[in-house]
């Protein structure tokens, strides 16, 4: 049940799972529960074992739990089930004809069956100043811990977006005592739920928490201050200039599928599959 490795450059596994989220963790556990005796290897791009993502925007940001407390399973469980988890390992190429995957270090993985469960990556903004320090995406556990560390002792934060992630982050940070401004180019919060009544409800809740919500605006630029190289102001499309200590990006995600380029695997807005997700 153990994957074999040759000269440190090639690993052979019966089941190779690309992804470090709940989908890959559940698949690995299900294989064992249903009697699979072959070797299982998980390639996890992050440095954490699979965790519960919904906890990031509330409990982790608020400092209520540690990273270890949001894991799907403790690391010892994978060891006991002979599931090899390779953290910090990023798939760079897939050859489905040769049953081969290559990671960022050039190591090859020969597999019997392959699961692609890479999830998504946070969207970024392409505007002047977007490379300043203090601008944080919010999608991974590492992102959430960085923002929680940043929030300590800070006064003002701007959050871009008004999705569930943005709203939860805004609430958590306001409870920590930060002055929060939320910006969205949509005309109402939670635009994807397509319910004016629900949007109005959540907008009212934001105001109850003292969150300044600015709708129908986007970001034109970020500006630094004091030569520190860190963001100090957000300039909106309406011409408003908002002073801040940091910015949180909660503007959606894009499927993480760049590594499939040239593989021959059909990709549209995600991997194209049949009725059985093959």
């Amino acid at each position: 049940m153990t994957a074999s490795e040759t000269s440190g450059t090639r690993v052979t596994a019966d089941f190779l799972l690309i992804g470090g989220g709940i989908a890959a963790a559940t698949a690995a556990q299900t294989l064992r529960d249903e009697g699979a005796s072959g070797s299982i290897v998980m390639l996890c791009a992050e440095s954490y074992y699979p965790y519960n993502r919904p906890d990031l925007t509330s409990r982790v940001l608020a400092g209520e739990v540690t990273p270890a407390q949001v894991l799907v399973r403790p690391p010892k469980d994978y060891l006991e089930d002979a599931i090899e988890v390779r953290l910090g390992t990023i798939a760079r190429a897939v050859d489905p004809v040769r049953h081969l995957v290559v990671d960022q270090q050039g190591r090859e993985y020969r597999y019997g069956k392959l699961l692609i469960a890479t999830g998504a990556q946070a969207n970024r903004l392409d505007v002047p100043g977007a490379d300043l320090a203090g601008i944080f995406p919010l999608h991974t556990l590492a992102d959430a811990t960085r923002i929680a560390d940043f929030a300590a002792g800070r006064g003002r934060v701007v959050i871009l977006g008004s999705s569930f992630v943005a709203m939860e982050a805004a609430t958590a940070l306001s409870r920590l005592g930060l002055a929060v401004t939320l910006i969205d180019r949509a005309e109402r919060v939670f635009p994807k739920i397509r319910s004016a009544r629900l949007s109005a409800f959540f907008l009212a809740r934001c105001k109850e928490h003292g969150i300044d919500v600015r709708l129908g605006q986007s970001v034109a630029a970020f500006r630094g201050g004091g030569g520190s190289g860190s963001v100090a102001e957000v300039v909106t499309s309406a011409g408003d200039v908002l002073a801040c200590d940091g910015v949180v990006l909660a503007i959606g995600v894009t499927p993480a599928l760049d590594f499939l380029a040239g593989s021959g695997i059909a990709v549209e807005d995600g991997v194209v599959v049949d009725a059985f997700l093959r």
Side-chain angles (χ1 to χ4, degrees):
M1 293 197 300
T2 303
S4 61
E5 186 161 359
T6 305
S7 302
T9 59
R10 174 171 290 183
V11 176
T12 299
D14 295 296
F15 303 96
L16 182 63
L17 286 55
I18 306 178
I22 290 181
T26 302
Q29 181 61 48
T30 301
L31 284 168
R32 288 291 183 243
D33 290 345
E34 294 186 351
S37 59
S39 56
I40 302 175
V41 175
M42 291 176 55
L43 306 184
C44 303
E46 296 184 50
S47 57
Y48 295 100
Y49 279 77
Y51 54 85
N52 291 299
R53 198 173 298 277
D55 287 328
L56 302 185
T57 52
S58 54
R59 304 179 70 200
V60 174
L61 276 189
E64 297 174 356
V65 294
T66 65
Q69 291 175 300
V70 299
L71 299 182
V72 175
R73 305 172 64 197
K76 66 179 182 63
D77 285 6
Y78 297 93
L79 183 62
E80 291 172 357
D81 285 333
I83 298 169
E84 182 179 347
V85 181
R86 297 197 169 209
L87 302 177
T89 304
I90 304 170
R92 290 302 189 200
V94 176
D95 185 339
V97 176
R98 299 170 60 203
H99 282 214
L100 206 63
V101 170
V102 181
D103 69 14
Q104 82 275 21
Q105 296 180 332
R107 182 177 290 107
E108 296 181 344
Y109 300 81
R110 187 172 294 280
Y111 61 85
K113 291 188 176 181
L114 176 69
L115 172 69
I116 298 173
T118 45
Q121 55 196 10
N123 291 335
R124 304 294 184 106
L125 277 184
D126 184 15
V127 298
D131 58 345
L132 288 168
I135 300 175
F136 306 95
L138 177 51
H139 182 63
T140 68
L141 180 51
D143 294 337
T145 55
R146 278 193 291 267
I147 295 169
D149 290 341
F150 146 81
R154 306 286 179 154
R156 299 163 298 187
V157 64
V158 172
I159 298 178
L160 307 186
S162 65
S163 63
F164 178 82
V165 170
M167 301 285 268
E168 283 239 306
T171 302
L173 293 175
S174 68
R175 285 174 175 168
L176 291 177
L178 279 77
V180 179
T181 299
L182 189 150
I183 300 174
D184 198 323
R185 62 186 178 184
E187 295 301 326
R188 61 190 187 199
V189 299
F190 268 133
K192 290 188 177 181
I193 63 176
R194 301 182 184 279
S195 169
R197 183 177 179 181
L198 283 175
S199 291
F201 170 80
F202 285 110
L203 178 59
R205 291 300 302 271
C206 282
K207 292 180 178 179
E208 288 175 11
H209 285 283
I211 299 167
D212 178 14
V213 181
R214 304 194 180 207
L215 299 173
Q217 297 186 39
S218 57
V219 172
F222 299 109
R223 293 176 182 168
S228 65
S230 296
V231 66
E233 294 177 336
V234 177
V235 182
T236 75
S237 57
D240 297 335
V241 179
L242 308 175
C244 65
D245 298 306
V247 174
V248 175
L249 304 180
I251 51 176
V253 295
T254 301
L257 299 172
D258 291 347
F259 68 99
L260 294 178
S263 68
I265 296 174
V267 174
E268 292 179 6
D269 186 23
V271 177
V272 178
V273 298
D274 63 16
F276 300 98
L277 297 181
R278 296 178 300 190

